[in-house]
């Protein structure tokens, strides 16, 4: 029963994300290295699953590896300047061949429907086309980049039309000029410009390695655009592929894309883990913080009740009805993480306006030991000082030492403000503490 219970719990926890992603536009970039590997079909299966769940899917593929293979086969040497390929007339022929071969390979895999396979019944239709108008990069630092180009315009209307017809849109890193010329483009740039033009909900960049904090050596789970810019500026040794993807994520979020994700494609199922689990597995980049502390609203009542219900059942918190929460919602503060309420507390100001009660401090079980209780307490202390409140009181049955360690002092019922004295439940026998904040 354990595996079944695990599956049921995972499926239930993923349901909010299934609802949230339906009918949303995701632009997904992956490099040419991924296409040539034996397990690429697993990634195709994950794309098909996203499509079956109602995601409007735009796939942008790279061909750097395939171009290098063509050059090596013909004894030609790749030419780069500032990490950009110089595309002469000969190289351009290899670009055309690589783009066509990779496109056909991806379309073939997306067309599979063998009974008993993950693609059974998928019936995915793929649309490709001249959605990208390009212009030559020109001459930089005295170097002529020839047929290496940059994006001039994305035909967003045409892409939306294909998505509206329930097609997966497949875009190569090749652009066309109004005069009929063909240009080799950066696939990351194409994916970024497409996401911006479509105002996509997500830009997802499947990278060759994880985005690592150089200081700690640990994976970076989330960054604001400001933090991403700081990381790029202060870490010149950041791997080039990661730096390109991070710059793409930062640019897209600054220009209207809600969120960008850097995901290590070598982790099996990483795309699904990132999109359908609470904490994900990659690096999330957004223009605003992924997790915020803010005043609660009426829309948060369901999340607050779900959060405090286990603690009420254990007797740690006093039971609160929905009606009481609705009446006092203006006193509540919540921690919101990706739409989920993972922490809350209440701040009841006494009639004398010189003191207040800290109540209903709770953090979701999966997010304890992460300093979030301290964050809520610090937020309330700051609010108290702003409102010229001198003293905070708290009643607790289970967390006396936690408050003592944070500067609270035990007190008696007689020390409480009059409203708290009259409401004190002697049967519950809560411990009482206070903290001077001014």
């Amino acid at each position: 029963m354990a595996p079944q219970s695990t599956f049921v719990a995972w499926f239930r926890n993923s349901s909010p994300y299934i609802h949230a992603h339906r009918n949303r536009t995701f632009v997904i970039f992956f490099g040419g290295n991924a296409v040539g590997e034996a397990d690429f079909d697993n990634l195709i299966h994950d794309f098909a699953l996203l499509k079956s769940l109602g995601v409007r899917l735009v796939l942008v593929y790279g061909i750097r590896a395939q171009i290098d293979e063509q050059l090596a086969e013909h004894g030609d040497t790749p030419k780069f300047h500032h990490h950009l390929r110089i595309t002469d007339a000969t190289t351009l022929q290899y670009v055309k061949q690589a783009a066509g071969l990779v496109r056909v390979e991806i379309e073939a895999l997306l067309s599979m429907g063998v009974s008993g396979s993950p693609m059974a019944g998928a019936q995915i239709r793929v649309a490709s086309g001249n959605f990208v108008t390009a212009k030559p990069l020109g001459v930089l630092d005295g170097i002529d980049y020839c047929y290496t180009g940059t994006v001039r315009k994305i035909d967003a209307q045409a892409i939306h039309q294909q998505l509206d017809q329930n097609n997966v849109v497949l875009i190569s890193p090749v652009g066309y000029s109004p005069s009929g010329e063909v240009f080799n483009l950066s696939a990351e740039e194409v994916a970024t410009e497409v996401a911006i033009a479509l105002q996509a909900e997500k830009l997802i960049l499947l990278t060759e390695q994880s985005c690592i904090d150089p200081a700690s050596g640990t994976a970076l789970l989330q960054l604001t655009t400001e933090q991403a810019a700081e990381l790029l500026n202060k870490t010149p040794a950041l791997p080039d592929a990661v730096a390109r993807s991070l710059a793409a994520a930062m640019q897209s979020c600054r220009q209207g894309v809600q969120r960008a994700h850097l995901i290590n494609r070598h982790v099996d199922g990483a795309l699904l883990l990132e999109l359908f689990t609470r904490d994900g597995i990659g690096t999330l980049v957004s223009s605003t913080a992924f997790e915020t502390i803010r005043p609660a609203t009426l829309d948060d009542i369901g999340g607050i009740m779900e959060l405090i219900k286990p603690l009420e059942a254990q007797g740690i918190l006093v039971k609160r009805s929905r009606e009481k929460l609705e009446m006092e919602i203006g006193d509540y503060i919540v921690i919101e993480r990706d739409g989920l309420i993972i922490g809350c507390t209440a701040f009841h100001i006494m009639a004398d306006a010189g003191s207040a009660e800290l109540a209903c401090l709770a953090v979701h079980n999966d997010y304890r030991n992460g300093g979030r209780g301290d964050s809520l307490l610090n937020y309330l202390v700051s609010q108290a000082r702003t409102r010229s409140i001198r003293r905070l009181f708290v009643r607790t049955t289970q967390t006396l030492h936690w408050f003592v360690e944070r500067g609270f002092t035990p007190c008696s019922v007689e020390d409480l403000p009059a409203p708290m004295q009259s409401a004190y439940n002697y049967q519950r026998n809560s411990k009482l503490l206070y903290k001077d904040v001014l």
Side-chain angles (χ1 to χ4, degrees):
M1 288 298 292
Q4 293 178 355
S5 299
T6 300
F7 171 77
V8 169
W10 174 84
F11 207 3
R12 285 172 176 164
N13 289 334
S14 69
S15 61
Y17 300 100
I18 294 173
H19 299 316
H21 298 334
R22 186 176 294 118
N23 297 323
R24 299 296 189 265
T25 301
F26 293 2
V27 177
I28 303 180
F29 158 81
F30 52 94
N33 288 330
V35 180
E37 295 193 357
D39 61 353
F40 182 59
D41 56 345
N42 289 336
L43 197 54
I44 292 292
H45 298 161
D46 293 344
F47 294 158
L49 179 57
L50 291 181
K51 182 70 177 61
S52 71
L53 293 173
V55 175
R56 293 159 57 92
L57 210 54
V58 180
L59 306 178
V60 180
Y61 62 89
I63 53 174
R64 286 190 185 95
Q66 287 76 11
I67 297 171
D68 288 341
E69 288 175 8
Q70 293 272 8
L71 288 166
E73 286 178 10
H74 292 85
D76 295 323
T77 303
K79 300 173 186 176
F80 291 88
H81 183 66
H82 291 325
H83 304 292
L84 283 174
R85 188 187 299 277
I86 300 170
T87 309
D88 57 22
T90 301
T91 305
L92 182 62
Q93 298 308 310
Y94 302 147
V95 170
K96 294 177 181 178
Q97 292 175 33
L101 288 170
V102 172
R103 178 178 63 80
V104 169
E105 180 68 21
I106 295 171
E107 288 179 348
L109 290 171
L110 286 170
S111 300
M112 291 191 304
V114 178
S115 178
S117 77
M119 297 291 289
Q123 297 182 334
I124 294 174
R125 293 180 300 174
V126 183
S128 300
N130 56 340
F131 302 118
V132 182
T133 302
K135 61 183 180 180
L137 191 59
V139 178
L140 298 175
D141 299 328
I143 303 296
D144 186 355
Y145 281 86
C146 302
Y147 294 98
T148 296
T150 186
V151 174
R152 180 177 176 182
K153 183 183 177 183
I154 302 295
D155 192 345
Q157 182 179 2
I159 297 173
H160 276 303
Q161 286 175 347
Q162 294 298 328
L163 294 172
D164 291 342
Q165 294 174 29
N166 203 31
N167 296 331
V168 170
V169 176
L170 183 62
I171 300 179
S172 71
V174 172
Y176 308 94
S177 73
S179 60
E181 290 181 294
V182 179
F183 291 99
N184 178 29
L185 308 176
S186 159
E188 290 94 341
E189 181 194 4
V190 172
T192 303
E193 294 297 336
V194 168
I196 293 169
L198 297 178
Q199 288 296 278
E201 277 72 26
K202 291 184 184 293
L203 169 62
I204 299 170
L205 302 129
L206 300 176
T207 60
E208 296 301 310
Q209 59 194 96
S210 300
C211 188
I212 302 296
D213 181 354
S216 65
T218 58
L220 289 165
L221 299 180
Q222 57 205 50
L223 294 168
T224 63
T225 50
E226 289 77 13
Q227 290 169 331
E230 184 178 3
L231 180 63
L232 285 169
N233 291 333
K234 293 186 176 180
T235 318
L238 204 65
D240 183 54
V242 173
R244 287 198 307 267
S245 294
L246 200 56
M250 182 178 65
Q251 180 186 348
S252 64
C253 289
R254 283 178 169 173
Q255 294 185 251
V257 176
Q258 293 182 11
R259 290 178 179 175
H261 303 255
L262 277 65
I263 307 172
N264 187 338
R265 71 169 183 85
H266 294 286
V267 178
D268 186 32
L271 182 61
L272 304 181
L273 289 168
E274 178 70 6
L275 293 176
F276 296 102
T277 61
R278 190 178 297 142
D279 295 323
I281 196 173
T283 301
L284 170 67
V285 179
S286 58
S287 55
T288 57
F290 178 60
E291 182 176 309
T292 58
I293 299 180
R294 59 170 177 79
T297 68
L298 288 172
D299 292 336
D300 298 319
I301 288 177
I304 294 173
M305 292 188 72
E306 189 70 21
L307 174 66
I308 65 178
K309 182 168 62 175
L311 299 174
E312 290 176 344
Q314 297 171 45
I316 297 174
L317 291 179
V318 175
K319 289 187 177 182
R320 291 165 172 82
S321 66
R322 175 178 284 273
E323 291 74 16
K324 184 174 177 60
L325 282 172
E326 289 177 354
M327 291 174 59
E328 298 180 346
I329 194 64
D331 293 349
Y332 279 79
I333 306 296
V334 295
I335 301 179
E336 180 187 7
R337 181 181 176 86
D338 196 23
L340 178 74
I341 302 302
I342 65 166
C344 74
T345 190
F347 185 55
H348 304 308
I349 299 176
M350 299 294 107
D352 64 5
S355 56
E357 181 184 11
L358 185 161
C360 197
L361 179 61
V363 176
H364 192 286
N365 190 54
D366 292 344
Y367 293 95
R368 290 175 187 167
N369 302 318
R372 291 177 175 86
D374 289 294
S375 296
L376 285 168
L377 176 59
N378 292 336
Y379 186 96
L380 287 192
V381 168
S382 175
Q383 290 291 305
R385 289 170 177 161
T386 300
R387 301 184 189 191
S388 299
I389 289 170
R390 299 184 300 277
R391 181 169 287 185
L392 279 178
F393 290 90
V394 66
R395 291 176 284 180
T396 180
T397 59
Q398 303 287 316
T399 54
L400 172 69
H401 283 215
W402 189 88
F403 284 104
V404 169
E405 289 166 6
R406 284 151 182 82
F408 281 77
T409 302
C411 64
S412 65
V413 175
E414 290 72 24
D415 297 317
L416 298 176
M420 288 187 69
Q421 286 190 35
S422 61
Y424 184 77
N425 186 339
Y426 284 90
Q427 288 185 330
R428 186 170 172 80
N429 196 28
S430 298
K431 302 295 183 181
L432 304 172
L433 305 99
Y434 74 92
K435 179 183 177 74
D436 289 326
V437 297
L438 281 182

